[in-house]
Amino acid sequence: MSLESPVVRWALVLTVVSVLQVALADDLSILGVHPDLLLLVTVVAGLSGGPGTGAVVGFAAGVVADLFLHTRFGVATLASTLVGYASGVAGDTVVRPSTTVWVAATAGLSAAGTALYAALAHLLGAGTLADPNLPAIIGIVSVVNAVLCVPALAVCRWAGDDRSAVRIR
Amino acid sequence: MRPVATRRRSRYLLVVLSLVAVTLIALDAGGFPVFDSARSVASDTASPFDGAIDAVTSPFRNAWNGVTGYDDLVAENQTLRDRIGELESDQALEQSAREQLRRLNEQLELGFVEGIPTQVARVSSGAYSNFADYRVEIDKGSSSGLAEGMPVVTRSGLVGRLERVGSNTSVVQLATDPAFVIGVRLASSQDLGVGRGAGARGTFIVDRGIDLEDPVRTGEAVLTSGLSTSIMPPDVPVGVVSRIDPSPTTREQRLEVTLSAELTQLDVVQVLEWEPPT
């Protein structure tokens, strides 16, 4: 068990983020919407580490989220896995990366991830697409994630030992 | 661009992980009990962290919520001022209202908490999800003698029922959840019906069992029916009828009920140590 291993580093990152999400972020709300740090880590892990990393980190983050949500177990896991993979694909298609690009990508993918979770949960009877706060939830989660994108990118690069850190300018 | 082998491996990973996620969904839908246990353990595990970080960060959180919720505070202050005005103008009627309430209680033999042991619990956490999931967590569980299905109330009336019970925490399914279905009884006519949560509207709907001919008026009290197979004990106040919609097609009336308990500002609740018949 050493921090030399990316698996250990990712486990550490996910543990810290989970505690922050449950104990802190869930109590901080903007217009009744709180930040989604697990989604942020999923998206940024995909953008920085590629589709494989995104999918695995998304899967793990989704399982953690499912432990604290009241929808069907697995809904957040599936949504998060798909978003993590999509983030990796999106990150790979960026030809000229810059901070602006990563921030915009994080905002867009966070919005897509929230909408995907709402759609999957709705399909399984949670009624999430009928939630009158849906636009506010999507908007606020994506803006907050965009703001937190740069520090999250640094953490994910450390966890994934990404040596292409020069990509952000 | 990543090598073809890496991309192929990523796609393979995506398929495998997605299938695992779908399997988890299917198992949970099939009632596989491990997930409830895992959620209870996670909740119990997070509870001390929640408390510790709450204590450390409360000044920051209060400041943040003060800033972001400023408009709400202004609106709330205005509402409170209006309410004080109403109360002052109604002071003369207070005595009469108390007397009416006393008589109503006598008539209905309300006292729904009497005779049933209760446990007082604090709402320890609201929803983890940003979406309305009609659940709150309380700080007591099986170690305090709580069990699944026990009714949860405030002094005002019905809040919901215990859906999941961990050793030190429990999850309450609120009465506004569309999946929350109970038998109800109208106070004056004693007519029986079936009601459910109205979801995002934050009210309760009685949409079965009240015939067009049954006399109903707005403001009428709605109580739990307490039939032998009911999941609730009898005579727990649910709310008052706020709207009546006759439906000629079903020959029934659809009643919108404003819940007696204020579910958006829950702090302390009482769990009735009453278990539904199996």
Side-chain angles (χ1 to χ4, degrees), chain B residues 156-158 184-187 204 219-224 236-242 256-261:
Chain B
S156 307
L158 182 68
V184 296
R185 181 166 53 83
L186 300 181
F204 190 82
E220 177 158 10
V222 177
L223 312 167
T224 54
V236 176
V238 176
V240 293
V241 175
S242 54
E256 188 166 308
V257 177
T258 301
L259 291 165
S260 300

Side-chain angles (χ1 to χ4, degrees), chain B residues 16 18 23 44 46 72 107 118 120 135 160 162 178 192 197 205-206 223-224 228-229 244 259 269 271:
Chain B
V16 170
S18 298
T23 307
D44 287 343
D72 291 341
Q107 193 181 3
T118 63
V120 176
R135 306 286 189 281
L162 294 186
L192 297 173
I205 300 290
V206 179
L223 312 167
T224 54
S228 59
T229 53
I244 304 164
L259 291 165
V269 295
V271 181

Side-chain angles (χ1 to χ4, degrees), chain B residues 3 12 14-15 23 33 39 61 66 68 81 91 106 124 146 160 162 168 173 189 207 214 219 234 237 239 242 248 259:
Chain B
Y12 175 73
L14 175 70
V15 171
T23 307
R39 281 173 161 162
R61 282 185 296 109
T68 58
R81 268 190 228 106
Q91 204 165 16
E106 276 178 5
S124 57
L146 304 190
L162 294 186
N168 297 313
Q173 178 190 26
S189 64
D207 55 0
D214 294 334
S242 54
L259 291 165

Side-chain angles (χ1 to χ4, degrees), chain B residues 190-260:
Chain B
Q190 299 290 302
D191 282 324
L192 297 173
V194 177
R196 59 181 169 78
R201 297 178 68 175
T203 56
F204 190 82
I205 300 290
V206 179
D207 55 0
R208 277 188 284 160
I210 309 298
D211 295 335
L212 278 181
E213 296 77 23
D214 294 334
V216 189
R217 56 182 170 74
T218 54
E220 177 158 10
V222 177
L223 312 167
T224 54
S225 68
L227 295 177
S228 59
T229 53
S230 177
I231 59 169
M232 287 285 154
D235 296 337
V236 176
V238 176
V240 293
V241 175
S242 54
R243 184 174 160 171
I244 304 164
D245 291 319
S247 171
T249 51
T250 61
R251 305 279 307 154
E252 288 185 327
Q253 300 181 78
R254 182 179 184 275
L255 312 179
E256 188 166 308
V257 177
T258 301
L259 291 165
S260 300

Side-chain angles (χ1 to χ4, degrees), chain B residues 119-202:
Chain B
Q119 288 270 349
V120 176
R122 285 190 77 87
V123 175
S124 57
S125 164
Y128 289 110
S129 171
N130 274 318
F131 296 95
D133 59 5
Y134 316 110
R135 306 286 189 281
V136 293
E137 196 174 283
I138 58 172
D139 65 353
K140 285 195 176 167
S142 56
S143 61
S144 303
L146 304 190
E148 280 178 22
M150 286 182 172
V152 181
V153 301
T154 64
R155 283 181 178 275
S156 307
L158 182 68
V159 168
R161 64 195 290 260
L162 294 186
E163 182 184 56
R164 198 170 65 235
V165 177
S167 61
N168 297 313
T169 58
S170 302
V171 173
V172 181
Q173 178 190 26
L174 298 177
T176 46
D177 185 354
F180 183 88
V181 180
I182 56 167
V184 296
R185 181 166 53 83
L186 300 181
S188 62
S189 64
Q190 299 290 302
D191 282 324
L192 297 173
V194 177
R196 59 181 169 78
R201 297 178 68 175

Side-chain angles (χ1 to χ4, degrees), chain A residues 7-161:
Chain A
V7 176
V8 175
R9 288 198 300 269
W10 275 120
L12 181 66
V13 168
L14 280 173
T15 303
V16 171
V17 169
S18 304
V19 171
L20 289 176
Q21 176 69 53
V22 172
L24 182 62
D26 285 336
D27 292 331
L28 293 175
S29 68
I30 303 167
L31 301 174
V33 179
H34 55 71
D36 192 339
L37 302 180
L38 288 165
L39 177 61
L40 171 69
V41 168
T42 299
V43 167
V44 175
L47 286 172
S48 65
T53 303
V56 173
V57 172
F59 180 86
V63 169
V64 172
D66 271 325
L67 285 172
F68 293 98
L69 293 170
H70 302 300
T71 42
R72 283 257 175 270
F73 199 101
V75 174
T77 307
L78 180 59
S80 195
T81 304
L82 295 173
V83 170
Y85 182 85
S87 302
V89 172
D92 280 355
T93 57
V94 174
V95 180
R96 302 178 72 181
S98 68
T99 303
T100 311
V101 170
W102 294 131
V103 168
T106 302
L109 287 159
S110 296
T114 308
L116 179 63
Y117 168 77
L120 289 173
H122 191 87
L123 279 176
L124 292 163
T128 36
L129 285 182
D131 194 316
N133 281 338
L134 181 62
I137 294 169
I138 291 176
I140 292 170
V141 166
S142 56
V143 168
V144 172
N145 282 2
V147 169
L148 297 175
C149 156
V150 174
L153 206 52
V155 171
C156 288
R157 285 192 168 132
W158 169 78
D161 195 26

